[in-house]
Amino acid sequence: MSKLYVFDHPLIQHKLTYIRDKNTGTKEFRELVDEVATLMAYEITRDLPLEEVTIETPVSKAVAKVVSGKKIGLVPILRAGLGMVDGILKIIPAAKVGHVGLYRDPETLKPVEYYLKLPSDITERELIVIDPMLATGGSASAAIQLLKEKGAQNIKLMCLIAAPEGVKRVQEEHDDVDIYVAAVDEKLNDHGYIVPGLGDAGDRLFGTK
Ligand code: PRP
Ligand code: URA
């Protein structure tokens, strides 16, 4: 059964407020998304398994812990997902990064695939699909489906803001995928935008319109 985790850490919530604010410009928006991605990555990796290794400190031998188990792969959904990658790599620098290119057709709101490049060993990796916005859920669900068709076994979804409709869709279509968000907003508007949301994440990140 898919679980939904909402990260209510005060720093995440504080930064998210300024990300939402329409008066926040591109430079600051990008920096804040990067910082929140780092904080969310810290939370999402809370349960990573550890194993003991023996090392030598300058003083003595010591048994200490390192992360063990499956290696991590990040899969941003282009293009807005790119805004969260570097923030996550700051604390998981060895992660490999695949890319799924999807855009949402503005009329039908259905995702259109245009690019896919994944690490060769995704079947052995714990994959984190990244996208700031989970609106209708069409893009995230399609990305997860593409990964499963390539053999991915272990997938998490990380978004800044979700609409209830998107959470429901991903949970119905992928009940093995847990969802990690900083906020679940009220609803979608008639154009499929999250209310109150933050507007168009890709445009705000890259300064396009
Ligand atoms: C946005 C967003 C998600 C998608 C969410 O991308 O980054 O990928 O819409 O909507 P959904 O849940 O209804 O599918 P967009 O299609 O605008 O492309 P972009 O990242 O290239 O701007
Ligand atoms: N995509 C966005 O960038 N924002 C929304 O609110 C919905 C989809």
Side-chain angles (χ1 to χ4, degrees), residues 53-57 60-64:
V53 293
T54 304
I55 55 157
E56 276 190 54
T57 76
S60 72
K61 279 201 168 158
V63 176

Side-chain angles (χ1 to χ4, degrees), residues 103-112:
Y103 72 87
R104 197 173 72 151
D105 183 294
E107 302 298 325
T108 64
L109 301 184
K110 294 214 163 58
V112 181

Side-chain angles (χ1 to χ4, degrees), residues 80 104 109 131-136 139 161 187-189 191-204:
R104 197 173 72 151
L109 301 184
D131 195 326
M133 308 308 277
L134 180 62
T136 65
S139 303
I161 301 178
K187 60 177 184 184
L188 295 177
N189 69 14
H191 304 288
Y193 275 81
I194 299 176
V195 181
L198 54 73
D200 188 303
D203 282 346
R204 293 198 64 194

Side-chain angles (χ1 to χ4, degrees), residues 33-45:
V33 169
D34 181 78
E35 288 167 10
V36 169
T38 305
L39 294 168
M40 289 184 77
Y42 176 76
E43 295 276 20
I44 209 172
T45 50

